[in-house]
């Protein structure tokens, strides 16, 4: 069984491959994916939950790596 981060890495690799195959910028497709994921998180967990996840990630920019720790907004 893959971890949620391993699965996410596989999805990103697939997105990048699909972007290239469709003559699109991987960066642009990643950005569109982020927008769609934010909307999906908002629909599933609500605005406050999603805001908590995004704020944590914004605050963590530049810290390097992904860590499995308790985060604001119920994010794990």
């Amino acid at each position: 069984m893959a971890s949620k981060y391993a699965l996410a890495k596989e999805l990103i690799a697939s997105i990048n491959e699909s972007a290239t195959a469709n003559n699109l910028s991987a960066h642009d497709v990643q950005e569109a994916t982020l927008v769609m994921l934010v909307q999906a998180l908002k629909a599933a967990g609500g605005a406050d939950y999603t805001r908590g996840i995004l704020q944590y990630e914004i605050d963590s920019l530049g810290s390097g790596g992904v860590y499995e720790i308790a985060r604001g907004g119920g994010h794990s």
Side-chain angles (χ1 to χ4, degrees), residues 5-6 15 21-22 40 43-44 47 51 64 66-67 69:
Y5 292 105
I15 288 166
N22 287 283
R51 190 175 294 108
V66 175
Y67 303 98
I69 58 174

Side-chain angles (χ1 to χ4, degrees), residues 27-63:
H27 179 264
D28 287 345
V29 178
Q30 290 168 4
E31 182 179 319
T33 302
L34 176 63
V35 170
M36 298 306 296
L37 283 170
V38 167
Q39 294 304 314
L41 280 169
K42 185 174 135 185
D48 290 338
Y49 171 79
T50 304
R51 190 175 294 108
I53 292 169
L54 293 171
Q55 188 61 56
Y56 177 87
E57 293 304 327
I58 288 168
D59 292 345
S60 298
L61 284 175
S63 65

